[in-house]
Amino acid sequence: YLLSLQLSATKGANVMPRVLSLLDALPGETAARVLGEHADAVPLWQWLPWLPQLLRGLRKGYGAQAQHVLLRLARSYPQPLYYPLRAYSQSHLGTSAVGDASPPALWKPPAQERAEKEAEARADEQRAAAASASAPAA
């Protein structure tokens, strides 16, 4: 279903309710893996009508991936996110019925994590080369 959202914007928009219901029905790890693999390829505007469902997903097994999508939406579409986020925070956060109100751990797509690790390794190599070049010769 997420693939159809990527490929066909007009027809894919009709399957978003099915995607969200399947994410709720799948076990946490499976839903997280599926959403993590395909969420970045879905155009951001297709998530906008479903902001309350994404916010509800923060409490589910795919919460970190839902948070990733919400952060991307906040950067691109901050105004449409304001009211659903405010309503969610007022009704859910800080109430004893919900339990722990801490956000899920920050999730990054695997490609982004690899790129960050490679950049960090290059920076470490450059620092080591600079340190050895500035060390006095014996």
Side-chain angles (χ1 to χ4, degrees):
Y1 287 106
L2 284 168
L3 219 55
S4 70
L5 284 167
Q6 296 169 23
L7 300 175
S8 174
T10 56
K11 293 180 183 175
N14 296 331
V15 299
M16 184 61 86
R18 180 70 178 146
V19 167
L20 293 168
S21 67
L22 285 174
L23 286 173
D24 286 341
L26 290 171
E29 302 146 0
T30 306
R33 182 180 48 79
V34 169
L35 187 59
E37 289 173 359
H38 299 288
D40 281 344
V42 175
L44 281 176
W45 62 267
Q46 288 191 349
W47 293 105
L48 289 175
W50 308 102
L51 290 173
Q53 288 81 0
L54 276 175
L55 288 166
R56 190 185 67 217
L58 290 173
R59 295 274 180 214
K60 308 244 178 196
Y62 57 94
Q65 289 77 7
Q67 180 186 30
H68 173 73
V69 172
L70 288 165
L71 286 172
R72 289 179 54 225
L73 282 165
R75 288 183 195 108
S76 298
Y77 302 101
Q79 289 296 335
L81 185 60
Y82 175 76
Y83 179 75
L85 185 59
R86 183 170 178 199
Y88 175 81
S89 65
Q90 287 179 346
S91 65
H92 292 302
L93 300 180
T95 61
S96 60
V98 175
D100 183 22
S102 60
L106 186 60
W107 178 86
K108 295 179 184 175
Q112 184 180 353
E113 279 190 23
R114 279 192 301 273
E116 287 176 359
K117 286 180 183 177
E118 290 170 1
E120 188 176 311
R122 282 193 301 274
D124 288 343
E125 289 173 5
Q126 290 172 350
R127 280 192 289 267
S132 65
S134 66

